[in-house]
Amino acid sequence: YFIRIYSYIILAYVIIGYFPDARGSRLYQVLENLCRPLLDIFSFATISGVSFAPILAIVSLELLHMLLSMLFL
């Protein structure tokens, strides 16, 4: 369940990031501290200033979830 929860945390981080006023909030700072280490791994995925790191991170997490589900079921 941790992998799914982490995917939702990344999604919340991305959605809140669209609101410039929210970027200074405590919630955004907490989400950034949780998400930034994984998103930095995929920082190469930026095209014309648009980062695809959250998409790659969530897809990677889902693949990991599927792999772990197959191994432990």
Side-chain angles (χ1 to χ4, degrees):
Y1 293 105
F2 172 75
I3 294 173
R4 288 283 166 97
I5 292 170
Y6 197 56
S7 295
Y8 290 128
I9 289 171
I10 292 172
L11 185 62
Y13 171 71
V14 169
I15 290 171
I16 292 173
Y18 280 111
F19 302 100
D21 294 337
R23 290 186 182 178
S25 71
R26 180 75 178 132
L27 175 62
Y28 185 78
Q29 292 172 359
V30 169
L31 292 175
E32 184 172 37
N33 289 336
L34 291 172
C35 297
R36 189 53 42 200
L38 180 62
L39 295 178
D40 284 346
I41 294 171
F42 299 104
S43 63
F44 66 88
T46 302
I47 301 172
S48 298
V50 177
S51 176
F52 293 96
I55 295 169
L56 290 175
I58 290 173
V59 167
S60 298
L61 288 171
E62 289 301 318
L63 289 173
L64 179 64
H65 181 262
M66 288 174 26
L67 177 67
L68 292 174
S69 294
M70 288 191 301
L71 288 175
F72 294 111
L73 281 181

